[in-house]
Amino acid sequence: MEGSARGRDDYEYEKVSPAEDDAANASGRLSLPTASFDARRDSVRIFETMADAKAAPPDRKFLYLAACIGNLASFVCGTALGWTSPEMPKLKALDDNPLGRILTPSEEGWVGAFLPLAAAIGPFAGGYLADAIGRKKTLLIGATPFILAYVLNIIATNVYYFFLSRFLCGLGVGIVFTSIPMYVGEIADDEVRGSLGAFMQLFIVIGLLFSYVFGPYLTVKIFNVVLLVPPVAFVLLFLFFVPESPYYLIQTDKTEEAEQALMKLRGSGRNVVQKEAELIRQQVEVDQRNKGGFLDIFKTRGLKMALMLSLGLVACQQLSGINIILFFAQDVFTAAGVSLAPEICTIIIGVVQILASGATPMLVEKWGKRFLLMLSGIGMGLSQGVMAYFFHLKDDKMEDISNIGWVPIVGLVVFIVAYCLGFGPLPWAVMGELFPGNIKSAASSATASGCWVLGFIVTRYFGNLTDLIGRSGSFGVFTGFCFIAALFVYKLLPETSGKSLQEIQDILNGKSKVEDHE
């Protein structure tokens, strides 16, 4: 054969990097390379040594940097979610009001509601774009509406500017919420995927705190000029310094670019990342072969149960009243007549969110998601009940509440802690475990859209509900939904922590009892 007549010098060898040679020699073991023949390139590739790969631990500095830059988009979402809290009081007064008049109650409701309304559309756009043009370009597109929105806020002269601005922010939120977990999950290696996944919630609450801290003390125009900086910085840093997802690059037959991206993300040479690229390629082939659509969810009992649980969890999340607290925290404290300045109380809430969000991953490891969700529902219910009783004394019975002016602060702090420990981050984490990979994209888009539709309804009609049954009645309704949320988890949700996808599907399909896996 012609190939067997060739000499050694006819082949093309790629030597292992000096760093890998040194690591192998330092281990005190013989460093013998393994090789594979590439028939297409007519060459032999030396891609790994027999030395233990753990001798050279991965350098994850760039990976963490890439995750942080990517999650600047989550930070921007946080600033948008917190925007109404400091800005709405200004739009309901004449001082520093670019409209020259006070917002009507109906207009106030729409300014708050346009974001969740558009966010219900965003997930479908985000899911489609992520597959069509890539995760990186989708995130860059997702940041653009925020830039346009904050420019509109700067030049606003009538309320329609703010309507359009909030709608644009909602589109951005929907796209980012769909694509950033996908991107971070695909650039991370197995050992740190969980911790990097927690960055999203952390960056969101830091963004909320940013709005709470600077919004009350800057004019409407100056505050929105400041808010332009993070999305612009994200676009520039993400565009020029962060690679596309290796998974997407391999999915689009850009293996060379995928290996380059992995080399940056892993801090390793080509011959080290080639094995991971091959594993990704195999996973891509499996996912493409088994890819399903939304209607496939209704073909099995287990997937229908998974959809019901996912929608139920996000429904409980929204009906807890969280958007009222996040969007209108300053107004809530003003209405309660607390002894501290309302803007200071709101900043306290923001700080508590960050601390509680940082503690959640550790508590999940110890107690599991199901227990934390039940605890979260009960905690939120008790705190909302306290708020309902406080407003009953203040508004309904017209009693002097000056000696208990601290109650709303403590009540909302407890609410935020309970929310961040459970119903804030965990419905999304549970959803990721209930659905297999081939159906997860369609399921997550549907769940996220359902979440924001409910968020729109609650935000838009909270004012109408308050006019009808008072603040005490409104918080009483939220109290009831919080306790229903705890009961929903107790009765229907199996523990997913520490279980394989197959075990979870067996439980949902009724093939094994929950107790067998507890």
Side-chain angles (χ1 to χ4, degrees):
M1 292 175 61
E2 181 181 343
S4 61
R6 293 181 176 176
R8 168 178 172 155
D9 292 336
D10 293 328
Y11 293 111
E12 179 182 326
Y13 289 82
E14 294 181 12
K15 192 180 186 305
V16 293
S17 67
E20 292 164 328
D21 266 338
D22 293 342
N25 294 333
S27 69
R29 290 176 294 164
L30 183 62
S31 177
L32 295 177
T34 60
S36 65
F37 178 71
D38 190 335
R40 290 171 300 178
R41 300 182 182 179
D42 199 27
S43 64
V44 173
R45 286 178 165 246
I46 299 174
F47 60 86
E48 186 184 19
T49 70
M50 290 176 63
D52 190 352
K54 293 183 180 178
D59 182 357
R60 296 194 177 101
K61 289 193 290 290
F62 183 81
L63 173 61
Y64 277 92
L65 178 63
C68 287
I69 292 174
N71 272 292
L72 278 177
S74 303
F75 174 88
V76 173
C77 290
T79 65
L81 292 171
W83 183 90
T84 45
S85 181
E87 298 303 274
M88 201 66 80
K90 296 175 184 177
L91 298 178
K92 294 195 298 181
L94 289 177
D95 294 339
D96 187 27
N97 188 333
L99 306 181
R101 65 174 181 83
I102 296 173
L103 280 184
T104 67
S106 176
E107 290 170 342
E108 179 187 357
W110 280 111
V111 170
F114 266 119
L115 186 149
L117 177 64
I121 304 169
F124 295 104
Y128 172 78
L129 290 172
D131 285 336
I133 63 174
R135 286 55 160 150
K136 180 175 179 176
K137 290 179 182 177
T138 299
L139 280 167
L140 291 171
I141 289 173
T144 306
F146 294 105
I147 297 173
L148 297 174
Y150 293 139
V151 169
L152 285 172
N153 291 344
I154 293 168
I155 64 174
T157 54
N158 63 61
V159 73
Y160 297 104
Y161 283 83
F162 292 113
F163 288 169
L164 180 56
S165 163
R166 298 304 287 167
F167 188 86
L168 287 169
C169 284
L171 284 178
V173 166
I175 293 172
V176 170
F177 272 42
T178 304
S179 50
I180 193 65
M182 193 183 302
Y183 177 78
V184 172
E186 290 174 358
I187 67 171
D189 58 74
D190 292 344
E191 291 184 22
V192 297
R193 186 169 287 111
S195 58
L196 290 185
F199 277 22
M200 179 179 174
Q201 172 75 5
L202 182 61
F203 274 75
I204 289 170
V205 295
I206 293 173
L208 280 162
L209 180 60
F210 186 89
S211 286
Y212 293 166
V213 168
F214 291 102
Y217 305 106
L218 299 174
T219 65
V220 171
K221 288 189 177 182
I222 296 299
F223 179 49
N224 285 280
V225 169
V226 171
L227 289 180
L228 268 176
V229 176
V232 171
F234 164 75
V235 168
L236 294 175
L237 292 172
F238 198 66
L239 177 63
F240 293 110
F241 297 105
V242 180
E244 174 61 275
S245 154
Y247 181 98
Y248 176 76
L249 291 171
I250 289 176
Q251 187 180 42
T252 51
D253 295 323
K254 297 177 181 177
T255 305
E256 181 70 22
E257 292 181 36
E259 291 180 1
Q260 292 287 344
L262 285 169
M263 287 164 64
K264 291 184 70 174
L265 294 166
R266 304 292 179 261
S268 303
R270 184 184 300 276
N271 35 5
V272 175
V273 303
Q274 280 176 339
K275 285 190 70 176
E276 183 176 355
E278 175 60 21
L279 291 173
I280 293 173
R281 186 188 64 78
Q282 294 172 8
Q283 185 61 51
V284 166
E285 290 178 354
V286 172
D287 290 347
Q288 293 293 93
R289 189 164 55 246
N290 298 322
K291 191 170 184 179
F294 178 72
L295 294 179
D296 291 316
I297 294 175
F298 300 96
K299 292 181 179 179
T300 69
R301 178 182 184 272
L303 290 178
K304 286 188 285 188
M305 186 70 176
L307 181 64
M308 185 271 287
L309 289 171
S310 294
L311 290 173
L313 288 174
V314 296
C316 292
Q317 179 193 76
Q318 292 301 313
L319 293 172
S320 71
I322 182 60
N323 279 344
I324 302 304
I325 305 304
L326 296 183
F327 290 9
F328 306 110
Q330 200 164 313
D331 276 350
V332 171
F333 285 120
T334 299
V338 296
S339 52
L340 281 176
E343 57 269 24
I344 299 298
C345 298
T346 306
I347 291 171
I348 292 172
I349 292 294
V351 172
V352 169
Q353 276 187 297
I354 293 175
L355 297 177
S357 296
T360 302
M362 294 179 288
L363 294 176
V364 168
E365 292 287 329
K366 184 176 181 181
W367 290 338
K369 299 181 184 70
R370 185 170 181 268
F371 176 79
L372 282 181
L373 283 166
M374 288 189 290
L375 183 66
S376 175
I378 294 170
M380 291 191 301
L382 291 174
S383 58
Q384 292 280 39
V386 168
M387 291 295 294
Y389 185 67
F390 177 87
F391 279 111
H392 172 67
L393 294 178
K394 180 179 181 294
D395 296 341
D396 302 338
K397 300 188 74 173
M398 306 293 289
E399 293 188 7
D400 180 12
I401 44 83
S402 57
N403 60 329
I404 56 169
W406 50 270
V407 166
I409 302 174
V410 174
L412 290 189
V413 164
V414 171
F415 175 85
I416 288 296
V417 170
Y419 176 82
C420 289
L421 289 180
F423 272 94
L426 295 187
W428 307 106
V430 170
M431 183 199 69
E433 295 173 325
L434 292 178
F435 294 99
N438 65 318
I439 209 78
K440 194 174 293 183
S441 177
S444 63
S445 295
T447 302
S449 182
C451 170
W452 287 111
V453 166
L454 265 178
F456 161 72
I457 293 171
V458 172
T459 307
R460 173 65 186 87
Y461 295 106
F462 173 74
N464 301 82
L465 183 66
T466 300
D467 291 341
L468 185 65
I469 60 176
R471 289 191 182 90
S472 61
S474 298
F475 281 101
V477 169
F478 292 145
T479 300
F481 279 122
C482 289
F483 286 124
I484 290 172
L487 184 62
F488 175 84
V489 173
Y490 175 73
K491 287 288 189 181
L492 297 174
L493 184 70
E495 178 57 73
T496 59
S497 299
K499 292 184 176 64
S500 69
L501 176 61
Q502 188 58 54
E503 287 177 316
I504 295 170
Q505 284 298 306
D506 285 345
I507 294 171
L508 296 179
N509 279 302
K511 294 179 180 178
S512 62
K513 295 181 179 180
V514 175
E515 290 80 2
D516 296 337
H517 297 277
E518 292 293 325

